[in-house]
Amino acid sequence: MSAYWPWWAGAIGLALITVNHTLITDRSLGVSAAWDRVLHWRRERQLERMDEEFADDQALAEALAAATAEHFGTGTGASTVPQEPYEKSQPLEANAEPAASERPAATSLRPAPLVTQAALLVSIFLGGFIAAAASGRFHLRYDMGPGFRDLVTADPTTMIAMLFVGGVLVGFGTRLAGGCSSGHGLSGCGRLRPVSIVATAVFFGTAVAVSFLLWKVI
């Protein structure tokens, strides 16, 4: 018997992970973006410090107004508040608050905190290690197994070179597509985003075609 979960149990588990991540962080799940931010953690931490200074749109608008006044000056006797015609001032004032409430909060457009994405990556590693150790299947390997040796190459140097080039191409394609299989396949398709549906169809279709080519043709 197979030691792996049945497909339906894996689907339920991935769905729960995706939903819980979205509810807790209010962000989409994405592993490639998390890797990118964690690897460039100095830059990301600096951006987070800058974001903390402007927690909402109102604070940002006030800071911009103050910086503009400091740089250009405000003219002698000139009012810093734009004047509206008397007959139009009342309707604009009445409509100002609903328009502001319709705009999304500035924090909703920012990525998840850096520590959250680092915790996601550590959890993926620990979860895989615990699952493999608990099932008794954990062991260190330095190749891709007999299937890879039979179909592609058995030479260790060539294997390492191919894996390196393949990893670079996967990373390039992931960033070019704006997401990986978790970002598009789980979060994006779950939210019915057209770009994610197209991206998922492309990389799954390519995987099926390459697998069929390797096993049935070559």
Side-chain angles (χ1 to χ4, degrees), residues 145-154 162 210-218:
F148 190 91
R149 291 196 299 268
D150 296 339
L151 292 173
V152 185
T153 180
M162 292 188 65
V210 171
S211 298
F212 179 81
L213 179 66
L214 290 175
W215 288 102
K216 299 298 183 181
V217 179
I218 298 179

Side-chain angles (χ1 to χ4, degrees), residues 52-112:
E52 289 171 359
E53 297 179 6
F54 309 109
D56 52 38
D57 291 335
Q58 184 63 28
L60 178 59
E62 292 176 356
L64 288 174
T68 302
E70 180 181 358
H71 184 77
F72 294 103
T74 57
T76 307
S79 174
T80 59
V81 180
Q83 300 296 322
E84 298 290 345
Y86 179 78
E87 62 273 13
K88 294 183 179 180
S89 60
Q90 193 66 24
L92 288 176
E93 184 178 353
N95 294 332
E97 193 163 344
S101 62
E102 292 173 2
R103 292 196 304 267
T107 54
S108 63
L109 303 177
R110 300 182 180 121

Side-chain angles (χ1 to χ4, degrees), residues 2-171:
S2 174
Y4 295 100
W5 285 13
W7 66 267
W8 54 267
I12 293 175
L14 289 175
L16 291 176
I17 291 173
T18 304
V19 171
N20 285 331
H21 184 275
T22 302
L23 292 176
I24 293 173
T25 65
D26 194 26
R27 306 295 193 282
S28 296
L29 175 67
V31 177
S32 62
W35 271 114
D36 180 67
R37 295 193 68 215
V38 170
L39 289 176
H40 300 90
W41 64 271
R42 293 181 184 274
R43 178 197 65 190
E44 295 297 328
R45 190 68 191 100
Q46 183 179 5
L47 292 175
E48 285 186 350
R49 292 194 187 99
M50 294 173 61
D51 286 341
E52 289 171 359
E53 297 179 6
F54 309 109
D56 52 38
D57 291 335
Q58 184 63 28
L60 178 59
E62 292 176 356
L64 288 174
T68 302
E70 180 181 358
H71 184 77
F72 294 103
T74 57
T76 307
S79 174
T80 59
V81 180
Q83 300 296 322
E84 298 290 345
Y86 179 78
E87 62 273 13
K88 294 183 179 180
S89 60
Q90 193 66 24
L92 288 176
E93 184 178 353
N95 294 332
E97 193 163 344
S101 62
E102 292 173 2
R103 292 196 304 267
T107 54
S108 63
L109 303 177
R110 300 182 180 121
L114 186 61
V115 64
T116 300
Q117 296 191 327
L120 171 66
L121 298 178
V122 172
S123 299
I124 292 174
F125 172 79
L126 290 179
F129 173 77
I130 293 172
S135 63
R137 292 185 285 111
F138 175 77
H139 63 279
L140 295 176
R141 299 187 60 169
Y142 300 96
D143 61 7
M144 294 297 292
F148 190 91
R149 291 196 299 268
D150 296 339
L151 292 173
V152 185
T153 180
D155 181 70
T157 303
T158 306
M159 185 181 301
I160 293 174
M162 292 188 65
L163 292 176
F164 177 80
V165 173
V168 171
L169 291 176
V170 169

